[in-house]
Amino acid sequence: ARTGVVVVGAGPAGLALANVLRDRGIGCVLLEEQTRAFIEARPRAGFIEEWAVRALDDRGLAGNLLSTAPSQGRFEFRFENRRHPFSYERWAGQRHFVYPQQLLVTDLVAQYADNGGALEFGVRDVALHDVDSSTPSVTFTDAGGTARRLGCDFIAGCDGAQGVTRRHLDGHLLTHDYGIGWLALLAEAPPSADGVLFGIHPRGFAAHMARTATVTRFYLQCPPGDSADNWPHERVWSELHQRLGVPDGPLTEGELIEKRVLDMHNYVIERMSRGRLFLAGESAHLVAPIAAKGLNLALHDAFHLAEAIAAHYGGDDGPLERYSDTCLARVWQYQEFSQWLSDVFHSSTLDPPADPFRARLGQARLRRLLGSPAAAASFAEIYIGKAADF
Ligand code: FAD
């Protein structure tokens, strides 16, 4: 069998790409190793930048999101037992939409499948062949156990951090480890504030982010490699109250329905393409969730790749040749911002190691951000991802 594009992975990147290709009449088959039920229930991101929502809407992919998702344009730093609000909407004129990733995935699967898009769930043993030729192919075992081969013009590697497609570009991998862990939590509790809370505290960083009216994500800094088993209910809530609480802003507790340790690290594959293989999203770059950028970058890549493939079929290969550079420009802006924000978030931490010099640098950054309009405008622009294609 043969198609135009084989898309490996039905995360936000693969689904956004496949929807646009299908809409443009470009043949496309989407291969996903999990079941539909699994990917439609997998909770991860929740904050989508306004430019990305507009890009989804321009392609007819934001119907449910726009009619149901609340939006936010401010957050609070909390330190020294006080609130320090920051309105990025005031400086950048844009907001985040709060829409759990699994809802976006559910919408994109429905839109694609309901319009006749070809999609195989439960595939195994995906392998790429002849990516350096103009006739690459993908072999896999389908959910029924049959070994199959699909010839194609292009392969889109959208299979995330644990996927197989990025192995074809391993020689271009750059990595960075923050040496920090975050305990990622989902609580069955309504949000305790109408915006994100960032707690900067000697006991470690903590954060609060709305997901829905009844579910809230929290993060607690912890040692890298820590076990979620070390964090029983009482310890989690005690730390959250200490690191995030202020006298007039109590936290609402609830049952913890997800609890896992994320070691904060980043990577970038410096060339996102090889021959007819193009990577998009987390297969090409991981940004630790410090600045909530990963999903947004996945969508950015997907839309650029879709336009570039469409241009190829229109006789213009320029956008495909520029694809990697175009995407990496935003990737590096977001990586740099995550590093900057990580230095601020984790600078006051006493364990490990107490570093008063680093703590003073973090405090100086916060004072400048909260006191200087020019600093606030610059921060807001990159925080909401406006004009990040420098
Ligand atoms: P994925 O979503 O990982 O999708 C890859 C798909 O490929 C998966 O469905 C997988 O099953 C499939 N796959 C893998 N291997 C194969 C294979 N061999 N064959 C076939 N299919 C395969 N980002 C934000 O922007 N904002 C946030 O607030 C935010 N919060 C986060 C919180 C947490 C706890 C985590 C873990 C991440 C968060 N992120 C956030 C990051 C965001 O979730 C990811 O960046 C996003 O999922 C990347 O999308 P993707 O399509 O590139 O990859």
Side-chain angles (χ1 to χ4, degrees), residues 8-15 31-34 38-39 42-49 101 105 123-126 158-165 184 209 211 217 219 258 260 262 280-283 285-287 289 291-298:
V8 184
L15 285 163
L31 303 178
E32 167 59 48
E33 69 177 2
Q34 302 290 346
F38 180 87
I39 67 166
R42 181 170 48 195
R44 290 168 104 186
F47 274 66
I48 311 183
E49 295 169 355
Q101 180 167 328
V105 164
V123 305
R124 286 181 288 116
D125 310 326
V126 169
C158 305
D159 47 348
Q162 309 300 328
V164 294
T165 61
M209 294 168 195
R211 280 296 182 260
R217 188 174 275 296
Y219 292 111
E258 188 195 76
R260 63 186 172 124
L262 307 174
E282 230 160 60
S283 62
H285 39 75
L286 182 77
V287 198
K293 294 296 191 189
L295 168 60
N296 295 285
L297 280 179

Side-chain angles (χ1 to χ4, degrees), residues 18 38 63 83 148 209 241 339 348 354:
F38 180 87
R83 303 162 180 273
R148 290 167 51 189
M209 294 168 195
H241 288 301
Q339 179 68 56
S348 300

Side-chain angles (χ1 to χ4, degrees), residues 143-297:
T146 306
R148 290 167 51 189
R149 176 182 290 270
L150 270 173
C152 54
D153 299 327
F154 297 102
I155 301 169
C158 305
D159 47 348
Q162 309 300 328
V164 294
T165 61
R166 57 193 290 252
R167 292 183 201 150
H168 291 259
L169 283 144
D170 265 356
H172 302 274
L173 181 68
L174 300 181
T175 60
H176 171 69
D177 193 337
Y178 289 96
I180 286 163
W182 276 14
L183 180 69
L185 303 152
L186 277 176
E188 254 174 5
S192 304
D194 59 4
V196 169
L197 306 178
F198 296 126
I200 299 168
H201 196 278
R203 296 186 68 83
F205 172 74
H208 153 291
M209 294 168 195
R211 280 296 182 260
T212 66
T214 55
V215 174
T216 305
R217 188 174 275 296
F218 290 94
Y219 292 111
L220 277 171
Q221 183 186 342
C222 64
D226 201 356
S227 164
D229 296 339
N230 293 334
W231 292 88
H233 182 96
E234 295 70 26
R235 183 177 179 209
V236 164
W237 287 107
S238 162
E239 288 293 332
L240 284 171
H241 288 301
Q242 290 181 75
R243 300 184 195 184
L244 271 179
V246 288
D248 57 340
L251 300 182
T252 309
E253 294 191 10
E255 190 191 336
L256 299 170
I257 52 175
E258 188 195 76
K259 203 165 55 169
R260 63 186 172 124
V261 173
L262 307 174
D263 288 340
M264 293 290 125
H265 68 280
N266 298 330
Y267 61 75
V268 177
I269 293 186
E270 273 271 86
R271 255 192 73 77
M272 290 172 58
S273 65
R274 171 180 162 186
R276 290 299 183 96
L277 167 65
F278 291 82
L279 302 183
E282 230 160 60
S283 62
H285 39 75
L286 182 77
V287 198
I290 292 166
K293 294 296 191 189
L295 168 60
N296 295 285
L297 280 179

